[in-house]
Amino acid sequence: MVDEAKTAGTESAPPTGAGGAAAAADAAERPPTIPADEMARLTDEIVAALKTVYDPEIPADLYELGLIYKVDMDDNRMVTIDMTLTSPNCPSAAELPGQVENAVAGVSGVREAKVNIVWDPPWDPSRMSDEARTELNMW
């Protein structure tokens, strides 16, 4: 499961590297090593973990603010998160990625978490959930 817009999900993706297209085609034929029920549990728990991380200047979590763009999990349970910040000058830019990594790495069954800060597409308030809009009184 991959969610490019806001909602975090996870994906069991074949590892890439040596072997190129042939290795990728072979990996595509194998069933995922993470069972569907385990993937569903991990997805729910990763989303819950992401919802524990708040921007200290905004009373809404990063997930509901729409700052989490993509979450992928490979068959080795390595989680990669693409996220952005409300602005390149965000005063919390040094702390938030580490907090996201720690929160997701704390989920049982996740081997490791890595955050990539991305700026494309730029964040804007339209990415916020209704929950965040209500919390911030932005209707």
Side-chain angles (χ1 to χ4, degrees):
M1 294 171 272
V2 176
D3 194 339
E4 301 281 338
K6 178 194 98 48
T7 309
T10 58
E11 175 182 17
S12 182
T16 57
D26 181 49
E29 292 177 13
R30 290 181 313 199
T33 60
I34 302 174
D37 60 334
E38 175 73 355
M39 185 60 77
R41 179 194 67 80
L42 286 165
T43 298
D44 291 346
E45 291 184 17
I46 289 170
V47 169
L50 290 168
K51 288 180 154 209
T52 67
V53 183
Y54 284 75
D55 183 316
E57 297 182 338
I58 304 171
D61 65 77
L62 301 187
Y63 182 85
E64 296 298 339
L65 284 171
L67 297 175
I68 306 298
Y69 284 179
K70 181 176 163 184
V71 176
D72 286 323
M73 175 181 282
D74 68 19
D75 286 341
N76 294 317
R77 298 174 181 249
M78 171 65 185
V79 178
T80 304
I81 302 131
D82 288 352
M83 67 171 283
T84 194
L85 302 168
T86 55
S87 115
N89 298 320
C90 175
S92 300
E95 299 95 30
L96 290 176
Q99 290 176 7
V100 169
E101 284 179 353
N102 290 338
V104 173
V107 171
S108 176
V110 170
R111 184 174 58 88
E112 188 178 347
K114 180 179 184 300
V115 168
N116 299 314
I117 297 295
V118 298
W119 299 109
D120 188 34
W123 181 85
D124 66 71
S126 70
R127 296 185 168 276
M128 292 190 304
S129 70
D130 290 347
E131 182 178 320
R133 290 177 194 283
T134 300
E135 183 69 32
L136 300 173
N137 197 24
M138 294 184 71
W139 288 103

